[in-house]
Amino acid sequence: MTIPELSGVHPAWLPPEAFRAIGSRRTLVLGDDVLADTVRAEVAHACARYGGTLHDDRDGAYDLVLAQDPEAGVGPEGFVLSRRDGATTVVAGGPAGLLYGLFEVVRRGEAAFGADLPAEAHRPALRRRMLDHWDNIDVHPVMGQVERGYAGGSIFWRDGGPRDLTRVRAYGRLLAACGINAVAVNNVNVHATEARLLTDRLGEVAAIADELRPYGIRVHLSVNFASPVALGGLATADPLDDGVRAWWARTTERVYETIPDFGGYVVKADSEGQPGPFAYGRDHADGANMLADALAPFGGVVHWRAFVYDHRQDWRDRSTDRARAAYDHFAPLDGRFRDNAILQVKNGPIDFQVREPVSPVIAAMPDTRLAVELQVTQEYTGQQKHVCYLAPMWREVLGFRPWGPDGRTVADVATELVAVSNVGDDPYWTGHPLAQANLYAFGRLAWAPGLDPADLLDEWIGLTFPVAGDPGRLRRVLHEIMDGSWRTYERYTAPLGVGFMVRPGHHYGPDVDGYEYTPWGTYHFADRDGVGVDRTRATGTGFTGQYPKPWSDVYESPAECPDELLLFFHHVPYGRVLHDGTTVIQHIYDTHFAGAEQAAAMRDRWEKAAGDVPPELHARVRELLDEQVRSAREWRDQINTYFFRKSGAADAHGRRIY
C-alpha cells in the first residue's frame, strides 16, 4: 500500500512534518490484517522521510511498539498507550485500535517519547462516528454537485460520472486520524441517478469503499424508499408487502456480495417531498424495520432520519409548530424499531440553527437506538465564508442533561454521532482553511464527547501548522479568532434563539421576513408589540411539554428561560428585561453592533499571522474575512433597522440605525 500524497491539495492536519517524531525512530509493528498493513505503510513512509527504521522482529530494542492483543480489554477500536524504559507502546484490542493508536502517537509528537507514561486506556465513547455526504452524481439545477456544500464539487463524482478517486484515500486518512469510521457517500435527497447506486451503479460505491477500507471506514448509501417502484418495476413500495420485502432482501444481498463490509442504508422518508411509508398507511417504524430486516443477515444498519415535518404549512395557523414535528411523529413509536434501526435525530428541533434547544426526541425514546446528527457544513452558520468554530456549540449539546443536573447527558443517551460533511474538491478541502477545524473537532468529539473545544483547536493548530514562522504567535492569533467565533456569529445574526432570518433558497445573508409568509414553518412573528414564538403549554403550541422536567418548566416560564433561547419559546415585548438587565430591543442593537465589530477585529488579528502561514493560505483567509466583515455589517444594519422600524425604540447609545 502507498500513502497518498496529493499535489496542489492542502495536507490539512496530516502534513509530513506531523510524522517526524515517529519517522525518526525505531518502530516495531505487529499485525497481519489490512489495517495493520496500513499502520506499517504509514510508519515506513515516515521513516523513509525522517531516517527511522521499521521492524517486524520481536527481538530487539525499539522506541515505539505497536501491537495487537485481543485481551487488552479495550474493545476492537481501543488501545492502551504507555511509555516505560525508553519505549512507547501501543497495545490495541483489534486492527482498528492499532490504527487509532498510531494516530494518537502522531497527535502527541515528541511528547509521546518524553517522560514515562502510566498505561492509558483509550476507547471510543460512541460505536459509529459517521459523516453524511450530500453529494449528487448529476449536477442538480438548484443545489449543484453537493447540496449545501461550500467547498467546491464532490470528491466522489463529477458531472454525472465517477471521478479519479486518488483523493478519496487521502480523505479517508484524514478521517481516520480524527476517529471517524463511517461515511455515507450520497445525498439524503436521493435523485433519479443517485438511486441507481443501489443497483446498476453499485460498482461506483464499491470503488469508493476500496479507497476508504485501508483506513477502517465503512461505506453507507442513501437510498430512495420508493426504489422497488423506481428501480424494481414493482407496483408498490409498501413496507409490509411480501414482494417489496423480498426485493429489498435480494437487492441488499447483492450489495453485500459486491461490498462485504458495507455499512448500511441512510433514509430520508416522508420529508420535504421524499417518498416514504405514509403513502401506504404505514408508519416510520414499519419502513425502518423493513430495511433493517434486509440488512440484519449481513450485520448492516439503517439510519432513519427523524427530520420529518409539514413543509406546506399555512403561516396564518399558529397551532402548527415545526419544532414539535419530530417528537410527534416518533416518540409514540419508541420500542418498535429493530436493534439495527437507528433513528437519526438533528441536534435541535428546527434545522441546524446557530442557537436552538436540544431536540426533545433525544430524551423521549429510551428503547430506540439514537444517532445525534450535527452539521459540519455551515449552512446556517456562514457557509464556510465566515469563521465559525462549532465545537463549543457541539460540546454544549453533547453535555446537555435532559433530566436535570444529576441526570445523563446527550452523549450518554446517544448510540452514535453523525454529521453532514463540509468537504469538497477545494484545494483546502473545506473551502475556508479554518473550517478544517470543525471537521477535525467533530471526529474527536465523536470519539470523546467530553474533550474541551479549546484543547481540540490546539491539537488542530499543532498538527496543521507544525512549521509556522512563530508557532506561539500563530496559536494565540488563531485562538483569539476562533475560540469565540460561534458566539460572534450568533451576535450579528438571528437574536435570542429565534432562528432563520436568512435569504430563502441559498440561506446566506440576512432577510428578516424572507421565510415569514412561506409554508416552511420558520417564523418569528415580529410585530409592533414584540417578537418570538409562543411555544408554551399555557398559551402556545405546547412544545415545552415535550421536554422532561425540569426543562419543561424552565422553558415554559419567561422568567426562567435562558435568555439565549427566549424568543424560541416566547413571544415577548421589546421592552422585556433580560437577566443581564438589558431590554430585548437593546440587546438586539448591542449584540449586532458588537458582532460586526468582533468580525472586523478577527480580520485585524489575522494580519498578525501574515508571516506564520504560507502566503496563499493567508490570502485565502484574508479574502474570506473581508467577506465576513461585509456580511456582518449587512446583518447588523438589516436586523437593527428592521426592529427599530417595528418597535420605534431608539438605541440607548445613539448609534446609527437606518
Side-chain angles (χ1 to χ4, degrees):
M1 174 184 163
T2 58
I3 303 303
E5 287 192 334
L6 304 177
S7 175
V9 178
H10 188 257
W13 50 87
L14 289 183
E17 185 68 21
F19 290 82
R20 179 182 290 276
I22 287 176
S24 59
R25 286 176 164 84
R26 296 164 299 166
T27 299
L28 172 66
V29 178
L30 298 174
D32 57 0
D33 47 65
V34 171
L35 297 187
D37 288 344
T38 299
V39 171
R40 195 173 286 108
E42 289 282 358
V43 173
H45 188 71
C47 288
R49 183 181 295 271
Y50 293 112
T53 53
L54 170 65
H55 303 267
D56 58 9
D57 184 352
R58 294 174 182 268
D59 296 327
Y62 302 107
D63 303 303
L64 175 62
V65 177
L66 299 135
Q68 294 181 43
D69 181 0
E71 305 301 317
V74 288
E77 293 189 306
F79 58 92
V80 177
L81 176 66
S82 62
R83 181 167 176 80
R84 181 179 178 185
D85 298 331
T88 299
T89 302
V90 172
V91 178
L98 198 68
L99 183 67
Y100 296 132
L102 167 73
F103 285 122
E104 177 65 24
V105 177
V106 171
R107 264 193 297 278
R108 298 190 182 207
E110 284 297 332
F113 301 96
D116 282 1
L117 177 69
E120 294 179 350
H122 297 255
R123 60 174 68 83
L126 300 169
R127 176 181 176 185
R128 190 173 286 104
R129 304 162 308 275
M130 183 171 174
L131 286 176
D132 283 0
H133 274 255
W134 286 359
D135 293 23
N136 302 315
I137 297 176
D138 292 330
V139 178
H140 189 273
V142 176
M143 294 298 179
Q145 189 85 68
V146 182
E147 182 167 334
R148 307 305 180 192
Y150 309 107
S154 171
I155 64 171
F156 304 128
W157 289 282
R158 176 181 287 164
D159 299 333
R163 65 183 300 166
D164 177 14
L165 298 179
T166 304
R167 186 164 173 169
V168 172
R169 184 167 298 196
Y171 179 49
R173 185 174 182 244
L174 289 174
L175 299 187
C178 63
I180 292 167
N181 65 357
V183 169
V185 297
N186 65 305
N187 195 350
V188 293
N189 293 315
V190 184
H191 307 297
T193 302
E194 290 76 22
R196 292 168 51 207
L197 291 171
L198 181 64
T199 53
D200 58 299
R201 298 188 71 153
L202 182 61
E204 296 171 31
V205 183
I208 295 169
D210 288 345
E211 298 299 325
L212 295 176
R213 186 174 296 111
Y215 287 97
I217 296 169
R218 298 180 75 172
V219 162
H220 296 240
L221 187 65
S222 295
V223 297
N224 186 323
F225 185 81
S227 291
V229 176
L231 303 175
L234 276 63
T236 180
D238 183 348
L240 300 189
D241 182 272
D242 288 342
V244 171
R245 298 176 69 85
W247 185 90
W248 278 108
R250 291 193 305 272
T251 300
T252 303
E253 182 177 14
R254 287 195 295 271
V255 170
Y256 279 91
E257 288 171 354
T258 306
I259 312 170
D261 58 353
F262 181 71
Y265 300 138
V266 179
V267 181
K268 177 179 178 179
D270 286 312
S271 176
E272 299 182 328
Q274 293 294 305
F278 287 178
Y280 307 98
R282 315 303 185 188
D283 60 32
H284 289 286
D286 295 328
N289 289 340
M290 172 193 67
L291 294 172
D293 290 344
L295 290 157
F298 311 99
V301 298
V302 56
H303 288 83
W304 191 273
R305 297 180 83 237
F307 186 53
V308 177
Y309 67 97
D310 178 7
H311 71 291
R312 295 184 177 88
Q313 201 169 313
D314 185 340
W315 60 271
R316 304 167 187 83
D317 173 15
R318 294 204 181 189
S319 65
T320 302
D321 184 0
R322 174 168 166 173
R324 290 187 55 109
Y327 183 105
D328 288 343
H329 280 295
F330 288 96
L333 303 179
D334 185 39
R336 285 193 48 212
F337 291 90
R338 302 282 194 266
D339 287 344
N340 65 324
I342 300 158
L343 188 63
Q344 189 165 311
V345 183
K346 289 191 178 187
N347 63 274
I350 297 291
D351 192 7
F352 299 133
Q353 297 302 291
V354 69
R355 177 72 69 174
E356 294 186 52
V358 169
S359 171
V361 177
I362 295 169
M365 305 193 70
D367 296 319
T368 301
R369 294 180 65 190
L370 297 178
V372 175
E373 179 181 300
L374 309 174
Q375 193 187 56
V376 186
T377 195
Q378 298 169 226
E379 179 180 356
Y380 296 101
T381 53
Q383 299 192 355
Q384 291 164 204
K385 298 181 181 71
H386 296 221
V387 178
C388 188
Y389 179 49
L390 293 170
M393 176 206 286
W394 299 334
R395 181 67 189 85
E396 283 190 14
V397 170
L398 294 170
F400 180 75
R401 297 180 184 274
W403 296 276
D406 298 323
R408 292 178 296 163
T409 67
V410 168
D412 295 329
V413 175
T415 304
E416 304 179 358
L417 204 60
V418 179
V420 183
S421 170
N422 66 342
V423 163
D425 65 0
D426 185 89
Y428 290 101
W429 297 95
T430 57
H432 200 309
L434 303 190
Q436 292 178 9
N438 285 329
L439 181 57
Y440 180 84
F442 165 73
R444 297 286 286 128
L445 283 171
W447 179 281
L451 290 172
D452 180 79
D455 292 342
L456 294 177
L457 185 56
D458 235 20
E459 283 183 8
W460 175 78
I461 294 168
L463 288 167
T464 306
F465 304 104
V467 290
D470 183 338
R473 178 173 59 199
L474 178 62
R475 192 177 297 268
R476 286 192 301 274
V477 166
L478 287 173
H479 275 286
E480 289 171 355
I481 291 172
M482 299 178 70
D483 280 343
S485 56
W486 163 49
R487 295 185 184 276
T488 293
Y489 187 86
E490 180 181 22
R491 287 184 187 104
Y492 63 74
T493 52
L496 298 171
V498 75
F500 276 81
M501 297 186 174
V502 293
R503 189 61 54 112
H506 56 66
H507 296 165
Y508 184 76
D511 188 344
V512 186
D513 279 339
Y515 277 106
E516 192 63 13
Y517 307 105
T518 70
W520 293 96
T522 54
Y523 312 127
H524 55 71
F525 297 133
D527 55 29
R528 67 181 183 179
D529 299 316
V531 59
V533 184
D534 184 353
R535 291 188 162 106
T536 65
R537 301 187 294 285
T539 58
T541 69
F543 174 67
T544 60
Q546 294 186 343
Y547 288 89
K549 290 182 180 296
W551 294 105
S552 58
D553 294 334
V554 169
Y555 293 148
E556 179 77 6
S557 166
E560 294 186 43
C561 183
D563 285 345
E564 64 269 19
L565 291 172
L566 181 64
L567 302 186
F568 190 95
F569 286 103
H570 300 276
H571 187 88
V572 300
Y574 295 110
R576 180 176 182 83
V577 178
L578 302 174
H579 292 105
D580 66 1
T582 62
T583 62
V584 166
I585 189 63
Q586 193 60 45
H587 171 91
I588 291 172
Y589 296 156
D590 289 347
T591 53
H592 285 79
F593 279 112
E597 290 169 3
Q598 288 159 357
M602 288 180 181
R603 182 175 62 184
D604 292 342
R605 290 188 179 103
W606 181 244
E607 289 308 302
K608 299 176 183 178
D612 299 326
V613 297
E616 61 276 12
L617 186 147
H618 188 272
R620 170 70 76 91
V621 174
R622 170 57 196 251
E623 176 186 359
L624 290 163
L625 285 169
D626 285 344
E627 166 56 19
Q628 183 167 1
V629 170
R630 184 210 63 78
S631 181
R633 290 172 177 165
E634 192 67 24
W635 273 100
R636 175 197 67 193
D637 292 341
Q638 288 200 31
I639 297 289
N640 283 346
T641 298
Y642 179 92
F643 284 104
F644 172 67
R645 293 177 181 179
K646 283 284 185 183
S647 69
D651 172 33
H653 304 293
R655 292 164 293 195
R656 184 176 186 184
I657 298 177
Y658 295 86

